[in-house]
Amino acid sequence: MSALFTPFKLKDVTLRNRIAVPPMCQYSAHDGFVNEWHQTHYASIARGGAGLVIVEATGVSPEGRITPGCAGLWKDAQIEGMAHIAARIKAAGAVAGIQIGHAGRKASANLPWEGDDHIPSDQPGGWDTIAPSAIPFGQGLPKVPKEMTLDDIARVKADFVAAAKRALAAGFEWLELHFAHGYLGQSFFSKHSNQRTDHYGGDFTGRSRFLLETLAAVREVWPQNLPLTARFGVIEYDGQDEETLNESIELVRMMRQRGLDMLSVSVGFTIPDVKIPWGPAFLGSVAKRVRDEAGLPVASAWGFDGPHLAEAAVADGQLDLVMVGRAHLADPHYPLQAAKELGVERPTWVLPAPYAHWLERYQMAK
């Protein structure tokens, strides 16, 4: 039997297989509200057979969006649209997840196909950004963020909690906190972006505080029987990899003690000048180390699109779930193609019956 197509249980949630669709921003929302594009997009991918579909990075506040086109859950009126998405994902047989986050100093950016650079605060669509320290990211994101006060920190943590409550009200059963990719959570943890001198900066304990406190606050309102996960950059590829990875694994252990159920292993992307060894499944060994040393199930989304690579990652104990993103954009029925390549018996039945029956019958007739 294919390891990739075995069920996976976490808390009271069971996925039909180990294929998950990671958050992929559509940049198509208006004032944080999702629309028909999102409804069709997520329903289509869920019908393709993945076990888990995680809705794109969703801002916990207007200032927390990456771009003006990002989805949001900062007000109750946004729940209804998200509820329709969650219902469509479930109707297709997948588990409905959502990622919530705050973009920090990388916020207020143009859409990727319109420049992917900062929008000045005094121009339409732009706003002031915030971060642990007043240090810009650089390159196309040169805006100097405002250093957060303690009141700002308390407010953002409360925003995460409120967004988590709205996600639950919308019917999502899997919650992911976005602590990666140089956004706010990652920025607090990294020495490159956090040069505070109070108890939210400085040593490992200080730089970990915002992430741990936010996680603990969300865990209090997110049901204990439902998975609470996080995406976190455990390595930067900045020449300090072993130190960063050791600290990251220790932080993940502390997250687990505070109620984290799974980690999506990623890269920090905190600074632009790094040497990432891009290649197929390049994070596999890193993810396995996190899994083994932190004692937590893991997933990853970088370079595992090939069905045999995905199969090997699960079979060899590198990953518990394989996040397959762009391949789903190219072919929403990616799980069907993977099932065929891996020799799964009656592969068409990874799809809903109205597709599976006729595809199988046609194949038999041939």
Side-chain angles (χ1 to χ4, degrees):
M1 179 179 291
S2 164
L4 190 62
F5 284 92
T6 57
F8 177 71
K9 188 176 189 299
L10 190 63
K11 293 294 186 70
D12 286 351
V13 173
T14 300
L15 311 184
R16 56 190 171 186
N17 56 50
R18 305 300 183 99
I19 300 172
V21 180
M24 292 184 286
C25 293
Q26 297 299 292
Y27 304 106
S28 301
H30 178 70
D31 190 31
F33 285 86
V34 293
N35 51 48
E36 184 59 33
W37 173 270
H38 301 86
Q39 309 287 353
T40 302
H41 166 69
Y42 288 109
S44 174
I45 284 183
R47 290 178 188 134
L52 170 68
V53 177
I54 304 179
V55 170
E56 63 200 77
T58 299
V60 300
S61 64
E63 73 183 11
R65 293 171 295 167
I66 306 167
T67 76
C70 290
L73 267 179
W74 64 79
K75 51 187 173 184
D76 290 347
Q78 292 162 334
I79 295 173
E80 182 179 3
M82 287 295 189
H84 289 307
I85 291 175
R88 290 188 180 191
I89 292 172
K90 292 180 186 180
V95 169
I98 189 170
Q99 182 191 73
I100 59 173
H102 191 296
R105 64 181 182 169
K106 286 187 172 180
S108 186
N110 279 300
L111 306 187
W113 47 87
E114 294 179 356
D116 209 18
D117 54 349
H118 265 147
I119 305 171
S121 300
D122 59 355
Q123 291 187 11
W127 60 88
D128 292 335
T129 60
I130 60 174
S133 300
I135 302 170
F137 176 77
Q139 291 190 339
L141 300 173
K143 187 179 291 188
V144 178
K146 170 197 168 188
E147 180 171 313
M148 296 171 70
T149 66
L150 294 180
D151 286 343
D152 291 330
I153 292 173
R155 173 177 55 80
V156 172
K157 287 190 293 184
D159 288 340
F160 269 90
V161 170
K165 291 179 178 178
R166 294 186 182 104
L168 183 64
F172 290 99
E173 297 176 309
W174 185 290
L175 185 66
E176 181 174 277
L177 305 178
H178 201 351
F179 287 163
H181 300 175
Y183 299 133
L184 191 63
Q186 190 86 54
S187 292
F188 266 97
F189 185 67
S190 174
K191 296 176 183 177
H192 294 297
S193 48
N194 185 349
Q195 296 182 8
R196 301 176 70 95
T197 57
D198 64 6
H199 60 295
Y200 282 98
D203 61 9
F204 168 78
T205 299
R207 289 181 286 107
S208 301
R209 191 180 307 278
F210 173 82
L211 292 85
L212 293 173
E213 289 183 351
T214 302
L215 169 66
V218 171
R219 181 79 273 183
E220 288 185 6
V221 301
W222 188 253
Q224 289 295 327
N225 66 312
L226 297 181
L228 175 58
T229 72
R231 195 174 195 182
F232 177 56
V234 301
I235 193 168
E236 293 280 1
Y237 296 109
D238 59 355
Q240 304 174 43
D241 298 343
E242 188 62 23
E243 177 185 352
T244 301
L245 187 53
N246 283 333
E247 284 195 343
S248 295
I249 291 172
E250 180 58 28
L251 175 57
V252 175
R253 291 192 190 103
M254 297 167 73
M255 289 180 177
R256 184 196 66 201
Q257 294 168 358
R258 287 159 177 78
L260 188 72
D261 297 309
M262 187 174 200
L263 189 79
S264 182
V265 176
S266 193
V267 179
F269 298 117
T270 306
I271 55 174
D273 187 19
V274 293
K275 297 180 179 179
I276 299 173
W278 297 111
F282 77 95
L283 276 177
S285 60
V286 174
K288 188 176 191 308
R289 182 171 165 185
V290 174
R291 185 178 188 261
D292 292 346
E293 295 184 23
L296 200 68
V298 300
S300 190
W302 297 104
F304 293 95
D305 289 1
H308 289 282
L309 279 175
E311 172 74 14
V314 176
D316 295 345
Q318 291 184 332
L319 303 178
D320 296 279
L321 292 181
V322 181
M323 299 283 181
V324 179
R326 286 170 296 174
H328 271 102
L329 298 182
D331 180 5
H333 290 171
Y334 167 88
L336 171 61
Q337 302 309 317
K340 288 180 178 179
E341 285 195 35
L342 296 174
V344 172
E345 186 178 359
R346 302 184 74 187
T348 65
W349 286 93
V350 304
L351 303 179
Y355 292 172
H357 171 77
W358 297 109
L359 289 172
E360 183 178 63
R361 182 172 176 177
Y362 176 75
Q363 289 172 342
M364 291 175 65
K366 290 170 60 179

